[in-house]
């Protein structure tokens, strides 16, 4: 085992102690090289259970949150998944270990370019990414078996709810930019939607020109 593998292995042991029990999820976090998804200066901290700054003033979520959200999705190998907020690409890479195809959207051109390079370097051909406002989802590819939003939305994005397949599950942080946010699980069964509050969380905001009708286009 090299240093990075040892670091990931210790990270996964810590997650297990914090209650993450799905062996597929734990294995995915052991396999995806988190150290390659953070800026070089933060590499020494890549396997600590904390969020880290990435380019464009954004953050890569802490490993526990990545594992927890992934576990709540209850993924299968045949699932088609939408992620809103590609960021570093780390969460998308974790999802890719556990499902058929990941569609991921990012509003920052800079972050998207960096994430794409990582997907390519790691041979993650089942991750499809595009620049765009995730508030609107990805209608051309809908419906999705699973949807994960990794930025906090002020309210449940209606278009995303509409793009959830039958028997679908979505995890999304809901709440104001500087206030209390809650991770919410939305399920769809027999055409009926249900919501469950999971955890208090702190995410960067989902910035949407489409929602507010104002603000500049992303750079
Ligand atoms: N999942 C990421 C963490 C993302 S942080 C990872 O694993 O690293 C949240 C990301 O959402 C940021 O990169 C931010 O630019 C992006 N974002 C914010 N609002 C968005 C929107 N409306 N559409 C798409 N991406 C958005």
């Amino acid at each position: 085992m090299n240093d990075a593998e040892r670091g990931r292995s210790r990270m996964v042991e810590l997650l297990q102690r914090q209650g993450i029990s799905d062996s597929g999820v734990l294995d995915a976090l052991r396999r995806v090289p988190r150290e390659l998804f953070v800026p070089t200066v933060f590499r020494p901290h890549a396997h600590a259970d904390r969020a880290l700054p990435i380019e464009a003033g954004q953050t890569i979520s802490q490993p526990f949150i990545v594992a927890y959200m992934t576990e709540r999705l209850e993924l299968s190998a045949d699932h088609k998944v939408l992620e809103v907020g590609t960021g570093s690409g780390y969460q998308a890479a974790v999802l890719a270990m556990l499902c058929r195809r990941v569609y991921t959207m990012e509003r920052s051109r800079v972050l998207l370019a960096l994430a794409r390079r990582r997907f390519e370097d790691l041979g993650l051909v089942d991750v499809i990414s595009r620049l765009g406002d995730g508030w609107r989802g990805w209608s051309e590819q809908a419906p999705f078996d699973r949807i994960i939003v990794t930025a906090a939305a002020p309210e449940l994005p209606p278009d995303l709810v509409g793009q959830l397949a039958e028997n679908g599950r979505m995890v999304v942080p809901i709440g104001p930019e500087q206030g209390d946010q809650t991770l919410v699980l939305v399920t769809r069964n027999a055409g009926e939607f249900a919501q469950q509050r999971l955890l208090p969380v702190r995410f960067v905001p989902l910035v949407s020109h489409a929602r507010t009708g104002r603000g500049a286009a992303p750079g």
Side-chain angles (χ1 to χ4, degrees), residues 58-59 83 85-88 91 106-107 111 132-134 150 206-207:
Q58 302 300 313
T59 55
E83 180 194 26
T86 314
S88 67
Q91 172 77 70
E106 172 55 55
R107 72 184 287 275
L111 288 175
D133 183 354
T150 63
L206 185 86
V207 179

Side-chain angles (χ1 to χ4, degrees), residues 34 37 52 54-61 66 83-94 104-109 111-112 118 130-136 148-152 203-210:
R34 182 167 163 96
F37 288 82
L52 291 169
I54 57 172
E55 294 77 7
Q58 302 300 313
T59 55
I60 175 173
S61 307
V66 173
E83 180 194 26
V84 172
T86 314
S88 67
Y90 178 66
Q91 172 77 70
V94 169
T104 182
M105 299 181 68
E106 172 55 55
R107 72 184 287 275
S108 158
R109 221 175 266 284
L111 288 175
L112 185 68
R118 294 176 178 124
R130 83 160 165 92
L131 193 71
D133 183 354
W135 174 262
R136 280 280 153 86
I148 176 170
V149 183
T150 63
F203 276 85
V204 296
L206 185 86
V207 179
S208 173
H209 176 56

Side-chain angles (χ1 to χ4, degrees), residues 7-218:
R8 300 204 297 270
S9 187
R10 273 197 298 267
M11 176 184 92
V12 166
E13 281 166 27
L14 189 70
L15 296 175
Q16 268 178 302
R17 285 205 292 274
Q18 290 176 283
I20 304 296
S21 61
D22 185 301
S23 58
V25 173
L26 293 166
D27 197 46
L29 273 100
R30 214 175 274 119
R31 284 163 66 197
V32 176
R34 182 167 163 96
E35 63 280 359
L36 302 185
F37 288 82
V38 302
T40 324
V41 290
F42 293 115
R43 282 224 178 129
H45 308 291
H47 307 119
D49 190 24
R50 51 183 268 212
L52 291 169
I54 57 172
E55 294 77 7
Q58 302 300 313
T59 55
I60 175 173
S61 307
Q62 75 181 93
F64 175 78
I65 289 293
V66 173
Y68 183 86
M69 290 174 85
T70 308
E71 195 173 61
R72 292 286 86 75
L73 284 176
E74 299 181 1
L75 293 163
S76 318
D78 63 339
H79 281 159
K80 179 177 172 183
V81 179
L82 173 67
E83 180 194 26
V84 172
T86 314
S88 67
Y90 178 66
Q91 172 77 70
V94 169
L95 296 169
M97 302 291 123
L98 298 162
C99 69
R100 178 164 59 87
R101 187 157 287 170
V102 180
Y103 293 86
T104 182
M105 299 181 68
E106 172 55 55
R107 72 184 287 275
S108 158
R109 221 175 266 284
V110 173
L111 288 175
L112 185 68
L114 288 166
R116 277 185 173 162
R117 175 143 17 111
R118 294 176 178 124
F119 300 147
E120 210 173 289
D121 289 350
L122 295 171
L124 296 174
V125 294
D126 297 323
V127 179
I128 319 291
S129 58
R130 83 160 165 92
L131 193 71
D133 183 354
W135 174 262
R136 280 280 153 86
W138 194 326
S139 56
E140 298 82 356
Q141 292 297 343
F144 299 97
D145 301 299
R146 301 290 186 259
I147 299 179
I148 176 170
V149 183
T150 63
E155 61 199 313
L156 198 58
D159 291 2
L160 293 183
V161 175
Q163 290 174 21
L164 198 56
E166 183 50 31
N167 298 316
R169 297 168 75 84
M170 163 160 68
V171 284
V172 49
I174 303 284
E177 183 167 344
Q178 297 295 346
D180 293 338
Q181 303 168 358
T182 306
L183 192 64
V184 174
L185 170 68
V186 179
T187 51
R188 177 182 168 167
N189 288 301
E192 298 277 329
F193 292 92
Q195 283 186 46
Q196 191 188 329
R197 296 159 69 91
L198 299 175
L199 270 191
V201 285
R202 181 54 70 90
F203 276 85
V204 296
L206 185 86
V207 179
S208 173
H209 176 56
R211 190 184 81 85
T212 58
R214 56 192 157 78

